[in-house]
């Protein structure tokens, strides 16, 4: 199988899962939206978005579906089954609609738009995202104050999905430290090599840097 990826959040998630599972896949960096690159990828994913997993003449897209497939192939409980599966699905559903979505809104404005020259930061959207982040993080804080991981006593794909945007917090600048249990959970998660540096040894060009812009709220020297 071949996993097409980039360094963006959802492809990064898929690569981290594959590395964590020691999945038997070939990794290939791709840029379907780059000029002249769309047509080879359109039959694999009509949306052109990454990640894409290709094997046995078929393609599978969307990070969650790819994680499910790779976990099943590896006979791993990363993707929970049995009695734990509803609990994992609950966190996947809630996380994507609340915590991860709020992270995405802020990261898009402060990170993605600035990396790729998509326009100025929309401060209204940032404030909206930060408000939603605080609401979701408070819920997560209460849960993680009583448990080590989201599902029972070991890492699951719910943890991977919930943390999708946190490796990019150097540019998103979400107030993660305001939530000690969430911070503890994520520091623990970063101890996993596959999550901390999923691209190690892969041909994966770095994302464009975020330009450093002067802070308009700081007073100028006289």
């Amino acid at each position: 199988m071949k996993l097409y990826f980039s360094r963006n959040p959802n492809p990064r998630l898929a690569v981290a899962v594959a590395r964590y599972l020691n999945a038997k896949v070939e990794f290939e960096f791709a840029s379907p939206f780059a000029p002249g690159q769309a047509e080879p990828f359109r039959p694999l994913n009509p949306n052109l978005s990454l990640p894409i997993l290709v094997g046995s003449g078929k393609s599978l897209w969307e990070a969650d579906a790819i994680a499910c497939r790779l976990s099943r192939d590896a006979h791993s409980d990363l993707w929970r089954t049995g009695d734990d599966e509803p609990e994992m699905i609950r966190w996947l559903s809630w996380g994507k609609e609340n915590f991860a979505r709020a992270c995405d809104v802020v990261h898009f404005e402060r990170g993605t738009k600035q990396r790729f020259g998509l326009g100025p930061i929309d401060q209204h959207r940032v404030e909206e995202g930060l408000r939603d982040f605080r609401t979701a993080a408070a819920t997560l804080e209460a849960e993680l104050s009583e448990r080590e991981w989201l599902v029972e006593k070991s890492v699951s794909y719910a943890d991977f999905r919930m943390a999708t945007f946190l490796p990019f917090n150097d540019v998103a600048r979400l107030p993660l430290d305001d939530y000690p249990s969430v911070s503890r959970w994520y520091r623990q998660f970063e101890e996993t090599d596959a999550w901390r540096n999923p691209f190690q040894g892969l041909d994966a060009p770095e994302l464009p840097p975020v330009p450093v812009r002067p802070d308009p709220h700081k007073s100028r020297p006289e």
Side-chain angles (χ1 to χ4, degrees):
M1 293 190 293
K2 180 179 289 188
L3 179 61
Y4 291 101
F5 74 95
S6 72
R7 283 184 176 262
N8 291 311
N10 281 304
R12 184 192 189 280
L13 171 63
V15 174
V17 168
R19 302 302 289 264
Y20 180 82
L21 294 170
N22 292 316
K24 296 179 180 178
V25 299
E26 177 187 350
F27 297 95
E28 184 168 326
F29 186 86
S31 302
F33 289 102
Q37 295 297 308
E39 291 313 309
F41 288 96
R42 204 175 300 280
L44 304 179
N45 181 357
N47 304 300
L48 297 181
S49 59
L50 298 173
I52 303 171
L53 182 69
V54 179
S56 302
K58 296 181 180 180
S59 65
L60 185 65
W61 38 275
E62 290 296 312
D64 294 351
I66 290 170
C68 179
R69 169 66 187 276
L70 294 179
S71 184
R72 288 177 58 140
D73 287 353
H75 305 289
S76 169
D77 72 344
L78 183 69
W79 186 281
R80 295 292 202 269
T81 57
D83 292 344
D84 286 346
E85 189 169 29
E87 180 78 357
M88 184 194 70
I89 296 297
R90 178 182 72 157
W91 286 117
L92 291 182
S93 177
W94 179 88
K96 290 186 72 172
E97 290 299 315
N98 294 274
F99 186 79
R101 174 178 285 183
C103 295
D104 188 8
V105 168
V106 178
H107 173 260
F108 179 75
E109 293 297 329
R110 290 177 169 174
T112 300
K113 284 176 69 174
Q114 308 316 301
R115 289 187 198 280
F116 298 104
L118 302 178
I121 295 173
D122 184 334
Q123 293 296 344
H124 176 74
R125 288 288 289 160
V126 170
E127 290 304 318
E128 183 180 76
L130 289 172
R131 183 180 66 247
D132 291 343
F133 172 82
R134 293 185 184 100
T135 299
T139 298
L140 204 56
E141 176 72 15
E143 292 289 335
L144 289 170
S145 67
E146 299 178 352
R147 65 181 76 184
E148 190 174 7
W149 300 102
L150 288 171
V151 180
E152 294 301 325
K153 297 180 180 180
S154 62
V155 66
S156 73
Y157 181 64
D159 299 289
F160 276 77
R161 168 49 79 186
M162 195 72 71
T164 302
F165 292 91
L166 297 184
F168 303 88
N169 206 35
D170 58 332
V171 295
R173 305 191 304 281
L174 296 158
L176 200 63
D177 290 343
D178 291 351
Y179 305 91
S181 295
V182 178
S183 296
R184 183 269 312 156
W185 160 78
Y186 188 62
R187 286 195 303 271
Q188 169 183 269
F189 198 34
E190 279 199 314
E191 293 174 4
T192 306
D193 290 342
W195 182 260
R196 186 174 60 254
N197 187 10
F199 304 114
Q200 185 173 7
L202 300 182
D203 182 7
E206 296 283 348
L207 287 169
V210 174
V212 177
R213 303 186 187 280
D215 187 341
H217 300 292
K218 288 185 177 179
S219 59
R220 296 181 179 178
E222 296 182 359

